[in-house]
Amino acid sequence: MKSSLQYRTDRIVSVDILRGIVMIIMALDHVRDFTHITAITGSPTDLATTTVPLFFTRWITHFCAPVFVFLSGLSAYLHGQGKTTKELSSFLIKRGIWLIFAEIVIMSLILTFNPLYEVILLGVIWVIGWAMIFLGILIRGGYKLVAVIGIVLVFGHDLVNYLVLPQPGTVTRTLLDIFLTTSGSVVPYAEGRLVIIAYAILPWTGVICLGYAFGKFFGKQTSVEKRRKTLLVAGLLITALFILLRLVNQYGEPQPWTVQPNSIYTFLSFLNLSKYPPSLQFLCMTIGPALLVLYLTDQWRGKIPAVLSVYGRVPFFYFVLHFFLIHLITVVLFFATGHGVGEIVDASSPFLFRPANYGFSLGVVYLVWILVVFLMYFPCKWYMRYKATHDKWWLSYV
């Protein structure tokens, strides 16, 4: 065990800061899922029914998944410094298998509170697990192979939008959904039991591969000056590519923007991109600005970045625990607002204690979000310190 005062000093602080920002914003979307009145019955990005505040409450959280996956790839590169390719490959494959298991067994239970596992939810942890397995295999072919595969998957997977796909329900279509096209596939696995697959594997594998490739600029062989210049140039170019592709309105997004009844909603249409699966334009819109945030925070020090880093240094721990806390608060609010035992299960909702028509205004959502983020700080800080002062093998997986 390390001395209680011996902390790691080789971390890239800007990565922890950006990941911390992502974790905090992520909680807003998950609180909205559990506590907003229309979270199950409506869509915050449906321009026919949404409001501007509700749209942007959802839109800002679009940055979370792509940045989270991208940073997972970047962190994988940094984790591999000082290791052989075989060692890193083995670690990534084992971690990927663990994440898939955790999604199915741990996260599905926390999300639904249903010990019978009548609904299994396969979300971002599931897809990061698969992406890590593929990354672990690809790195054996070398850095250039990973970079090329990442570019091909991210820039090319929208070609699927031009294909005539097999009919839903067939084995071929199910496999295509799982790997390329799903926007929320529902697959029965037994009578009265469902698997909901929210994330297509290959597009997100492309993101983790690009994150890994970009990790080279954070490695020991790259100077701080070169890293910052690369972040600035790449961030500006990727953001500009998003704007260009969106203006052209042809490739990289199955949902073209259209003129709306007023200029505000036309702007919302311009920003209304596809996350499931993530389109090229969606990824450019989110990852480009994220690189600029990395550039701006590269030399940021002080109390605020220190607080943000607490969340960013324990992402898996935060992810699991914050969902449990949100669902626990949902149960308290469920009973506090007069709901009874007979309403715990709702066939229209995958979550126990969260009927489809249950919920609160957007203002209450923000208050609950602030409470969740505040409460999460203390266990995250404890676990951050524990990880920094202990050298147990399982800490690399949690």
Side-chain angles (χ1 to χ4, degrees):
M1 186 176 72
K2 302 175 186 176
S3 163
S4 61
L5 297 178
Q6 185 180 350
Y7 289 86
R8 285 184 57 184
T9 58
D10 59 337
R11 299 187 67 92
I12 305 296
V13 177
S14 59
V15 173
D16 290 330
I17 293 172
L18 177 58
R19 191 185 283 115
I21 294 171
V22 164
M23 305 309 289
I24 290 171
I25 296 174
M26 180 188 297
L28 174 60
D29 196 43
H30 299 152
V31 169
R32 183 189 61 81
D33 284 335
F34 278 91
T35 63
H36 190 241
I37 185 64
T38 64
I40 290 180
T41 59
S43 169
T45 57
D46 183 349
L47 299 185
T49 58
T50 193
T51 63
V52 174
L54 179 58
F55 179 92
F56 280 108
T57 297
R58 174 57 175 151
W59 180 82
I60 191 63
T61 64
H62 276 336
F63 287 80
C64 298
V67 176
F68 194 51
V69 176
F70 183 86
L71 292 180
S72 295
L74 194 156
S75 297
Y77 182 93
L78 296 178
H79 187 82
Q81 293 190 114
K83 291 183 171 60
T84 66
T85 299
K86 184 178 180 180
E87 288 172 338
L88 179 59
S89 174
S90 176
F91 169 75
L92 291 174
I93 292 172
K94 288 187 290 186
R95 182 167 171 78
I97 293 171
W98 154 246
L99 290 177
I100 293 170
F101 172 83
E103 183 77 283
I104 295 171
V105 177
I106 301 173
M107 289 308 304
S108 288
L109 179 60
I110 289 174
L111 287 167
T112 65
F113 272 15
N114 187 340
L116 300 179
Y117 289 93
E118 292 172 316
V119 177
I120 295 176
L121 299 168
L122 303 180
V124 69
I125 298 298
W126 142 276
V127 87
I128 291 177
W130 278 109
M132 281 192 172
I133 291 172
F134 283 122
L135 179 60
I137 295 170
L138 289 172
I139 62 172
R140 291 176 178 260
Y143 172 86
K144 290 183 179 179
L145 176 65
V146 174
V148 169
I149 293 295
I151 292 170
V152 169
L153 289 176
V154 169
F155 282 81
H157 80 268
D158 281 292
L159 291 171
V160 176
N161 298 326
Y162 299 93
L163 302 178
V164 178
L165 300 179
Q167 290 297 315
T170 63
V171 174
T172 303
R173 178 57 182 272
T174 300
L175 289 174
L176 276 173
D177 281 346
I178 292 172
F179 283 96
L180 276 173
T181 63
T182 186
S183 58
S185 301
V186 178
V187 181
Y189 75 96
E191 185 176 353
R193 297 174 183 273
L194 304 171
V195 175
I196 300 176
I197 307 169
Y199 287 77
I201 292 172
L202 290 183
W204 294 102
T205 297
V207 177
I208 205 171
C209 286
L210 287 185
Y212 179 88
F214 212 88
K216 183 176 183 179
F217 299 104
F218 287 80
K220 297 175 182 177
Q221 72 274 27
T222 303
S223 67
V224 174
E225 292 75 16
K226 183 177 180 180
R227 178 173 76 222
R228 299 194 74 232
K229 182 178 179 180
T230 302
L231 288 170
L232 178 60
V233 172
L236 290 173
L237 287 177
I238 294 173
T239 304
L241 179 61
F242 152 65
I243 296 172
L244 177 62
L245 288 173
R246 198 60 174 150
L247 288 173
V248 172
N249 221 16
Q250 292 296 321
Y251 180 75
E253 171 57 46
Q255 183 174 265
W257 67 274
T258 57
V259 176
Q260 300 294 313
N262 59 59
S263 58
I264 294 177
Y265 274 74
T266 298
F267 180 59
L268 298 189
S269 178
F270 190 85
L271 297 177
N272 196 15
L273 303 176
S274 302
K275 178 183 178 181
Y276 305 103
S279 68
L280 171 60
Q281 292 184 29
F282 176 89
L283 293 174
C284 288
M285 178 186 72
T286 52
I287 292 177
L291 295 179
L292 295 177
V293 173
L294 282 174
Y295 165 77
L296 293 172
T297 59
D298 196 59
Q299 303 297 317
W300 192 21
R301 301 294 184 269
K303 291 184 178 180
I304 294 177
V307 170
L308 295 174
S309 295
V310 169
Y311 298 103
R313 291 181 65 168
V314 290
F316 182 77
F317 177 84
Y318 174 98
F319 189 88
V320 174
L321 190 58
H322 97 289
F323 259 123
F324 178 76
L325 178 60
I326 290 169
H327 207 160
L328 195 62
I329 291 173
T330 301
V331 174
V332 173
L333 293 174
F334 174 85
F335 287 113
T337 51
H339 294 276
V341 174
E343 298 173 276
I344 292 175
V345 179
D346 184 340
S348 300
S349 171
F351 314 119
L352 299 191
F353 303 96
R354 202 275 181 247
N357 292 314
Y358 158 92
F360 307 89
S361 68
L362 201 57
V364 174
V365 170
Y366 274 86
L367 289 175
V368 175
W369 170 56
I370 293 170
L371 175 64
V372 167
V373 172
F374 172 76
L375 292 177
M376 283 299 303
Y377 177 78
F378 302 100
C380 286
K381 188 173 183 179
W382 167 81
Y383 187 61
M384 180 192 74
R385 289 176 170 173
Y386 183 86
K387 288 189 71 173
T389 56
H390 292 75
D391 193 23
K392 301 179 184 297
W393 66 268
W394 54 267
L395 289 172
S396 296
Y397 294 85
V398 180

